[in-house]
Amino acid sequence: EVQLVESGGGLVQPGGSLKLSCVASGFTFRDYWMNWVRQAPGKTMEWIGDIKPDGSNTNYAPSVKNRFTISRDNAKSILYLQMSNMRSDYTATYYCVRGASYYGYNYLDYWGQGVMVTVSS
Amino acid sequence: EIVLTQSPTTMAASPGEKVTLNCLASSSVSYMNWYQQKSGASPKLWIYGTSNLASGVPNRFSGSGSGTSYSLTISSMEAEDVATYYCLQLSSYPLTFGSGTKLEIK
């Protein structure tokens, strides 16, 4: 069974930093693109970025580029999201999401339970 | 950035009623994915590649569309279909989600 378990959320002050982790199990982690997606309370979802299976390439949403860094440890099956210079509008539930493809169609298939991050003084 | 506009924002349907949710893209995309999110839960992949049902999705659901216009249809509304549905495009970076359609039951 595929499982994605996020941790590291909590309260952080504006301008502060926070690092989220996502432990993956039930699949061969090193074979998959991985993503972070966030959802502010009562809002739609926002894709944050993704990372290639070998960790050699990342892509980011314009709103977080140069503030967030995605990385991974394939030996431990862990995905990371380092967030810096945080703003109040970064308050959201952050999801770790697996990327997959089938016959040329890409999609995000398995989602973690999400971890809440609150940016407030 | 491709903007996805979903309509309606909210709708209520009676049990057994046919329901159609729409997703309009600001530029042409190759295909569309749909997600179902129930209150307090993580989103679930519902439809991928425009018309392919994810594992476990009832066959009363279907997806269609091309270019800039896509839709999700429920042939006969059931109480368990109450949720918010989001479309997602992966044709170009950044990946973008629609604003969602909240589906309720009458």
Side-chain angles (χ1 to χ4, degrees), chain B residues 49-61:
Chain B
T50 301
S51 59
N52 302 284
L53 301 185
S55 178
V57 174
N59 60 14
R60 62 181 178 275
F61 285 86

Side-chain angles (χ1 to χ4, degrees), chain A residues 20-118:
Chain A
L20 305 182
S21 300
C22 169
V23 176
S25 61
F27 65 102
T28 306
F29 182 72
R30 64 178 178 270
D31 287 345
Y32 288 84
W33 284 79
M34 294 298 297
N35 299 258
W36 286 98
V37 174
R38 67 185 177 187
Q39 186 173 33
K43 302 293 185 182
T44 187
M45 287 167 283
E46 180 186 14
W47 176 80
I48 293 171
D50 64 12
I51 185 167
K52 199 174 177 180
D54 64 1
S56 63
N57 189 40
T58 52
N59 299 284
Y60 296 95
S63 59
V64 304
K65 201 168 186 179
N66 299 323
R67 290 175 180 257
F68 288 9
T69 302
I70 297 174
S71 61
R72 63 193 296 163
D73 184 335
N74 283 344
K76 296 181 179 178
S77 296
I78 302 178
L79 177 71
Y80 299 102
L81 178 65
Q82 175 70 54
M83 302 182 286
S84 62
N85 197 11
M86 297 183 71
R87 309 188 314 220
S88 59
D89 61 339
Y90 290 173
T91 294
T93 297
Y94 285 72
Y95 294 101
C96 165
V97 191
R98 191 179 81 166
S101 63
Y102 185 72
Y103 282 100
Y105 297 122
N106 296 325
Y107 46 86
L108 307 183
D109 57 359
Y110 287 93
W111 297 60
Q113 85 286 353
V115 62
M116 186 66 198
V117 172
T118 302

Side-chain angles (χ1 to χ4, degrees), chain B residues 27-46:
Chain B
S27 299
S28 182
V29 298
S30 302
Y31 55 90
M32 192 64 71
N33 295 338
W34 293 87
Y35 292 80
Q36 180 196 69
Q37 186 177 35
K38 295 197 173 184
S39 181
S42 301
K44 290 183 178 179
L45 176 65
W46 216 242

Side-chain angles (χ1 to χ4, degrees), chain B residues 2 5 8 15 19 21 25 27 36 45 52 57-58 75 81 88:
Chain B
I2 296 176
T5 302
V19 172
L21 311 181
S27 299
Q36 180 196 69
L45 176 65
N52 302 284
V57 174
S75 60
D81 301 335
L88 164 67

